[in-house]
Amino acid sequence: MKSWERFSDMVTTAEEAGHERAQQLVREGRMPTLYLYYKKAEGDGDGALTMFDDSDAVPEGWILATGEGLRCNLSYNEYWSWIRARALVLPVLGAN
């Protein structure tokens, strides 16, 4: 798989996680603010992207990509574009 395809898949995975988490929090009556987190690529292996709410306990190994939070009132395309724009500079693609 080409690097741009792997990157696109990572962005989609983060978008889906963020959208799902936002919907869960809205059902609970909360207004989420999501933040982009990443895991660095190691050697040939790719890293990862995901979204956490500001109230979530972030698991060890995840690095905050930007202090800019994302509100939940966006369309799928807006989530995806927002994540992609910020993830372009992150070291998430492995050497393969």
Side-chain angles (χ1 to χ4, degrees):
M1 184 181 298
K2 297 183 189 263
S3 61
W4 65 268
E5 292 172 310
R6 296 188 341 258
F7 179 76
S8 180
D9 286 349
M10 279 190 254
V11 172
T12 298
T13 298
E15 183 281 327
E16 290 169 350
H19 197 254
E20 182 177 313
R21 182 68 176 129
Q23 288 180 334
Q24 176 188 17
L25 291 168
V26 167
R27 284 191 300 271
E28 294 172 3
R30 298 175 45 205
M31 178 59 113
T33 301
L34 301 173
Y35 293 89
L36 179 62
Y37 283 80
Y38 71 99
K39 286 186 177 182
K40 289 182 182 179
E42 294 184 14
D44 287 342
D46 289 335
L49 298 169
T50 197
M51 304 285 287
F52 291 109
D53 182 62
D54 59 358
S55 66
D56 292 335
V58 177
E60 188 173 329
W62 288 99
I63 303 164
L64 179 64
T66 176
E68 182 183 1
L70 178 65
R71 292 289 182 176
C72 69
N73 56 345
L74 300 174
S75 71
Y76 168 84
N77 288 336
E78 290 170 316
Y79 263 90
W80 200 93
S81 296
W82 187 93
I83 293 166
R84 181 186 178 280
R86 283 142 188 88
L88 283 171
V89 298
L90 300 176
V92 293
L93 287 175
N96 54 12

